[in-house]
Amino acid sequence: MRNVTKDNITDVFKGYMADDMNPRMREVMGSLVQHLHDFARETNLTHDEWRKGLEFLEGCAAVETEDRHEFVLASDVLGLSSLVDMLHSRDDATSSSVLGPFHVSGAPPLAVGGDMKRHFGGPVLLAEGTIRDTDGRPIPGAVIDIWQTAPNGLYASQDDEQDTFSFHGLMTVGDDGRYAFTTVKPVEYTVPSDGPVGDILRACGRHPWRPSHLHYIVTAPGYRSLVTEIFPDDDPYLDQDTVFGVRDDLVMTYVERPAGDFPDGLALSGTISEPFLHVDFDVILASD
Ligand code: BEZ
Ligand code: FE
């Protein structure tokens, strides 16, 4: 096409794609460019604004390291990560939620009833539940990869004061599908806001806070893996999570219970002298 106009450029782009290209690639690229062009036409995007957009992408690339994933963070605060999650979440299973950039693979095994709190201060939280299938049956041998921040709001990978796997554990449930562990009640924290994504948040008058949460990745042979989070229902940021991760079925009451109610058979049994928090959260996995 030698007469490209602002009105036909989208069709011209689509016409340049080869007939024998991958059909899914054609669908995704065609739609992406359609929306990109419509966006520029609708907003009458100026050269300066277009340049700022490119500078944002260049800025993300400039701060990207092995431990700092600014493009993922951009996708998170724009709601794209959560939207993709929800598009592929099954209605009959526990909702999925954002993975985030702070999970460290290869966590050490944590026995059922084990403790992640160790020497850290803060309210003790006992989290337990059953991993079930969509018919309510326990899934023996399911594995839960658990992680959260320390009481200072930092993940181990962000904090030189913590061991590599601090507040990370890999729990294999028994025949009854039950899991249980003790930890410190998680705290709300901010996503990194000292880079280009922080600039976008500020430009939109948004804050960088996430409500407190526990992260789980739950896997079992024959079932769809689930990446999810659990939130307490009294968190001040529940209705304004900066990465859009909150779902109704992931919001739980952390019930305060007297020390005497602490069950036997856990790593911290016999050591609890103050009231503790308790959350019971069953996870439902859909079959593959
Ligand atoms: C997190 O929950 O760890 C997280 C998710 C998205 C962006 C930053 C952190
Ligand atoms: Fe997190």
Side-chain angles (χ1 to χ4, degrees):
M1 169 63 73
R2 61 174 60 186
N3 184 25
V4 177
T5 69
K6 61 185 168 41
D7 295 318
N8 73 10
I9 187 168
T10 309
D11 288 335
V12 173
F13 171 87
K14 290 178 184 172
Y16 283 178
M17 291 193 284
D19 287 344
D20 60 353
M21 75 180 283
N22 177 296
R24 177 64 177 159
M25 185 69 172
R26 171 192 296 282
E27 185 184 1
V28 172
M29 281 307 292
S31 179
L32 177 65
V33 170
Q34 177 82 53
H35 287 278
L36 209 52
H37 289 184
D38 284 345
F39 155 73
R41 280 185 286 253
E42 267 169 44
T43 58
N44 199 21
L45 196 70
T46 66
H47 279 99
D48 276 356
E49 292 159 347
W50 167 75
R51 184 69 236 157
K52 277 206 165 67
L54 294 184
E55 281 168 7
F56 169 74
L57 295 176
E58 286 162 6
C60 288
V63 298
E64 190 81 13
T65 65
E66 207 179 313
D67 295 323
R68 175 80 187 251
H69 302 286
E70 199 74 0
F71 285 110
V72 176
L73 188 58
S75 162
D76 294 339
V77 305
L78 295 178
L80 184 60
S81 310
S82 278
L83 178 55
V84 172
D85 261 359
M86 288 185 282
L87 286 172
H88 299 283
S89 202
R90 284 262 302 256
D91 289 346
D92 51 353
T94 298
S95 295
S96 62
S97 186
V98 284
L99 170 67
F102 300 119
H103 171 247
V104 183
S105 304
L110 181 66
V112 176
D115 175 56
M116 294 203 311
K117 180 177 184 294
R118 300 183 298 151
H119 57 279
F120 287 87
V124 172
L125 170 65
L126 166 60
E128 60 178 328
T130 303
I131 312 299
R132 300 183 185 280
D133 65 18
T134 51
D135 293 321
R137 288 182 298 242
I139 303 178
V143 175
I144 320 178
D145 199 339
I146 306 158
W147 75 106
Q148 68 170 91
T149 55
N152 63 1
L154 294 175
Y155 285 94
S157 62
Q158 299 174 286
D159 187 1
D160 292 340
E161 303 297 310
Q162 294 182 61
D163 312 334
T164 312
F165 292 117
S166 148
F167 288 103
H168 283 67
L170 198 63
M171 184 169 294
T172 304
V173 305
D175 288 345
D176 57 0
R178 295 286 299 167
Y179 73 89
F181 61 94
T182 43
T183 185
V184 177
K185 181 182 190 283
V187 293
E188 52 267 25
Y189 65 85
T190 58
V191 302
S193 62
D194 56 346
V197 170
D199 294 340
I200 294 275
L201 288 175
R202 281 181 288 278
C204 293
R206 285 177 51 187
H207 64 68
W209 287 91
R210 291 216 65 202
S212 58
H213 52 270
L214 291 167
H215 287 274
Y216 291 177
I217 300 176
V218 189
T219 52
Y223 294 87
R224 278 177 68 162
S225 301
L226 179 76
V227 179
T228 195
E229 307 179 86
I230 314 176
F231 304 91
D233 61 5
D234 59 352
D235 194 287
Y237 292 103
L238 214 52
D239 291 309
Q240 40 181 314
D241 179 5
T242 202
V243 300
F244 309 93
V246 182
R247 318 275 175 263
D248 233 8
D249 63 320
L250 306 181
V251 178
M252 297 281 125
T253 303
Y254 290 11
V255 181
E256 186 171 295
R257 293 174 57 176
D261 279 4
F262 197 83
D264 293 332
L266 307 183
L268 291 192
S269 303
T271 70
I272 300 294
S273 53
E274 306 275 326
F276 65 98
L277 297 166
H278 181 218
V279 60
D280 215 317
F281 178 68
D282 285 2
V283 177
I284 301 167
L285 296 186
S287 49
D288 258 337

